[in-house]
Amino acid sequence: AVVSTQSTGERCGGQGYLSCNRFGTFIGLAHAAMTAEGDNSVLIQKVAKERLALFKPQPAVTPSEDITSSAELLNLVKIRENTLFSALGQELGAAGREGLFQCWMLEQNETIQNAGKTFGERLVADEFQRVIDETQDDTKGVLQSLLHLHLVSYVKDNAAWFLTHSIITPDQSKQLTSKFDELCRVIAADALPLIESFKISDEMLSAPIGRDWVSFNDGDNRGELDGFFDAEHN
């Protein structure tokens, strides 16, 4: 939610700065929800701890030369999950009982956070693919494209980690950007139907940018809403 509100506001030009379009409101709400709903570093510590106690390596293979398919990208996520949890377990084992608190709380925070988040990303991808496999209607294709974009976005954002661990090559990392751009173009054609599928009412939107923004910008209203919503219903 934080990334979505921030990115959409930035891509709306001057409209993104107008208080009436409520980007600021929802950025604030998104930050609050991160804590209220548990999307925070403290919870990730608990997720990593519980996962480490039950950890079994995910089935993964050496990446192919072309890493841009959904299967290859999910394989890379599994490799990252396995590597992070294995490294974390080794560090905690080396620290022993006496050094456990020092190691966990003060030395391995980055590995803990990355391991917990990667486990979450892999779990989401697995469940998303399960739903796609059970889908019988014509939404299956666009759902597969969304999952594909999610996976390539995650691997692209963490390309430095994959490169420094010699899991992918510089040439393979370039494939990620090309595939990301390609999938964005594909999904753009279905962007509005996807948004409309959430059935967000005009009353919930209550912002010109989400309603009749053409009429709102028809004249110099100085960003004010006076009479705009009344005019919409006349």
Side-chain angles (χ1 to χ4, degrees), residues 4 13 32 37 48 51 79 96 101 137 161 163 175:
S4 295
E37 297 181 9
R51 176 61 179 163
I79 290 173
F101 182 85
D137 57 31
W161 185 90
L163 285 165
Q175 298 173 13

Side-chain angles (χ1 to χ4, degrees), residues 36-53:
E37 297 181 9
D39 184 12
N40 56 52
S41 298
V42 176
L43 181 68
I44 293 297
Q45 276 211 357
K46 182 170 178 58
V47 169
K49 179 177 180 294
E50 297 294 329
R51 176 61 179 163
L52 185 61

Side-chain angles (χ1 to χ4, degrees), residues 150-175:
H150 172 73
L151 288 168
V152 75
S153 178
Y154 177 79
V155 176
K156 183 172 76 72
D157 289 345
N158 292 280
W161 185 90
F162 288 102
L163 285 165
T164 55
H165 285 75
S166 301
I167 296 169
I168 65 173
T169 67
D171 285 339
Q172 285 175 313
S173 71
K174 295 175 184 178
Q175 298 173 13

Side-chain angles (χ1 to χ4, degrees), residues 5-232:
T5 50
Q6 184 71 35
S7 297
T8 50
E10 291 172 354
R11 282 157 178 76
C12 289
Q15 292 290 322
Y17 292 100
L18 293 178
S19 61
C20 64
N21 283 326
R22 304 174 71 196
F23 286 107
T25 299
F26 285 102
I27 288 172
L29 290 172
H31 280 281
M34 284 177 66
T35 299
E37 297 181 9
D39 184 12
N40 56 52
S41 298
V42 176
L43 181 68
I44 293 297
Q45 276 211 357
K46 182 170 178 58
V47 169
K49 179 177 180 294
E50 297 294 329
R51 176 61 179 163
L52 185 61
L54 302 172
F55 178 68
K56 293 181 180 179
Q58 290 292 305
V61 298
T62 302
S64 301
E65 184 175 343
D66 184 348
I67 60 171
T68 59
S69 70
S70 289
E72 285 289 339
L73 292 164
L74 181 55
N75 181 61
L76 286 170
V77 176
K78 291 177 179 179
I79 290 173
R80 178 167 158 86
E81 181 184 355
N82 291 344
T83 304
L84 288 167
F85 276 106
S86 296
L88 182 58
Q90 290 171 6
E91 290 294 337
L92 293 173
R97 185 181 296 273
E98 291 184 359
L100 182 62
F101 182 85
Q102 172 81 14
C103 182
W104 181 268
M105 296 299 295
L106 301 177
E107 297 175 1
Q108 294 300 316
N109 183 63
E110 184 174 359
T111 303
I112 291 168
Q113 294 298 311
N114 286 336
K117 290 176 181 177
T118 304
F119 163 65
E121 294 291 345
R122 195 266 305 161
L123 187 63
V124 166
D126 282 346
E127 287 301 300
F128 198 165
Q129 187 62 63
R130 180 185 63 78
V131 170
I132 292 171
D133 292 340
E134 295 173 356
T135 300
Q136 301 299 323
D137 57 31
D138 56 4
T139 61
K140 191 166 186 169
V142 70
L143 290 176
Q144 190 66 61
S145 293
L146 284 171
L147 174 57
H148 199 169
L149 179 61
H150 172 73
L151 288 168
V152 75
S153 178
Y154 177 79
V155 176
K156 183 172 76 72
D157 289 345
N158 292 280
W161 185 90
F162 288 102
L163 285 165
T164 55
H165 285 75
S166 301
I167 296 169
I168 65 173
T169 67
D171 285 339
Q172 285 175 313
S173 71
K174 295 175 184 178
Q175 298 173 13
L176 300 172
T177 300
S178 297
K179 178 56 69 171
F180 178 85
D181 292 344
E182 175 191 327
L183 288 167
C184 284
R185 289 192 293 270
V186 169
I187 293 173
D190 293 307
L192 291 180
L194 284 168
I195 293 170
E196 290 167 0
S197 71
F198 287 96
K199 298 187 183 300
I200 302 172
S201 66
D202 285 347
E203 288 72 20
M204 291 179 66
L205 289 171
S206 298
I209 196 71
R211 297 174 70 170
D212 190 353
W213 59 273
V214 175
S215 296
F216 179 72
N217 289 286
D218 193 41
D220 184 10
N221 52 42
R222 301 178 184 274
E224 299 296 333
L225 289 170
D226 291 345
F228 172 66
F229 293 121
D230 291 337
E232 253 195 337

